[in-house]
């Protein structure tokens, strides 16, 4: 068989960079927040990937200002969801998952995660684990352990699809099979990395990835 088959009983997708391409919105929104907060946008943007907004905000503001500042960046991001697009291959893959347990596990808040999915034309699954649902965000394994639990699938039987090193670390720590998405994932410990989900196919036994998409194999 050509390609790479990753055996699994379920799928746990990160949202931004995996299901939806929200990077232009993220850059605009966080740059706006940084300027409003008297901070260097480049420094702030470097701290954003794979983290909950509140965790990023806490790096830069006083503890008593975290709640207010988090509400502000959330508002900025919600105001800028209209141009969000689906990552290549996502819509075709999701259409194959009618009888497959799958969930979204994101560091974003619920309102923003669902708004981006709707804007991109990606179905919102029954199970969505967001920043509000966990005590510890990625790279802690809690988000992915929570997602697997809510699907009723053992963590070792799911594939975590992630683009950020922080999220990949969370998936690996949860004991899942981890598939890196995009070139950023090459800087992580993900054993397999694809450019995107173009041509990915659910076989009934797992996820089959075409050779053309593979950037790294186990």
């Amino acid at each position: 068989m050509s390609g790479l088959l990753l055996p699994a009983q379920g799928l746990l997708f990160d949202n931004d960079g995996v299901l939806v391409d929200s990077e232009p919105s993220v850059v605009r929104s966080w740059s706006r927040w940084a300027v409003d907060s008297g901070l260097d946008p480049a420094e702030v943007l470097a701290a954003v990937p794979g983290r909950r907004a509140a965790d990023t905000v806490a790096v830069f503001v006083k503890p008593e200002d975290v709640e207010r500042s988090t509400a502000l960046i959330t508002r900025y991001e919600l105001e800028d969801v209209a141009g969000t697009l689906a990552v290549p291959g996502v819509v075709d893959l999701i259409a194959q998952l009618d009888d497959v347990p799958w969930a979204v596990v994101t560091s974003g808040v619920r309102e923003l995660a669902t708004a981006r999915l709707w804007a991109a034309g990606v179905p919102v699954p029954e199970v969505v684990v967001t920043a509000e649902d966990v005590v510890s965000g990625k790279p802690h394994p809690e988000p992915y352990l929570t997602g697997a639990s809510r699907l009723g699938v053992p963590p070792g039987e799911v594939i975590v699809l992630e683009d950020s090193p922080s999220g990949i670390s969370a998936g690996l720590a949860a004991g899942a099979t981890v598939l890196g998405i995009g070139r950023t994932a090459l800087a992580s410990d993900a054993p397999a990395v694809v450019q995107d989900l173009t041509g990915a196919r659910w076989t009934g036994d797992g996820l089959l990835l075409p050779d053309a998409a593979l950037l790294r194999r186990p």
Side-chain angles (χ1 to χ4, degrees), residues 163-203:
D163 65 316
S164 74
S166 174
I168 287 165
S169 294
L172 292 170
T177 297
V178 177
L179 175 64
I181 308 293
R183 293 195 172 275
T184 302
L186 290 171
S188 75
D189 293 328
V193 179
V194 291
Q195 178 64 46
D196 54 39
L197 292 170
T198 299
R201 184 164 61 86
W202 183 261
T203 67

Side-chain angles (χ1 to χ4, degrees), residues 107-132:
S107 296
V109 296
R110 184 170 303 274
E111 185 179 9
L112 180 60
T114 53
R116 284 179 173 162
L117 288 166
W118 288 329
V122 178
V124 178
E126 192 172 316
V127 176
V128 180
V129 178
T130 65
E132 299 97 326

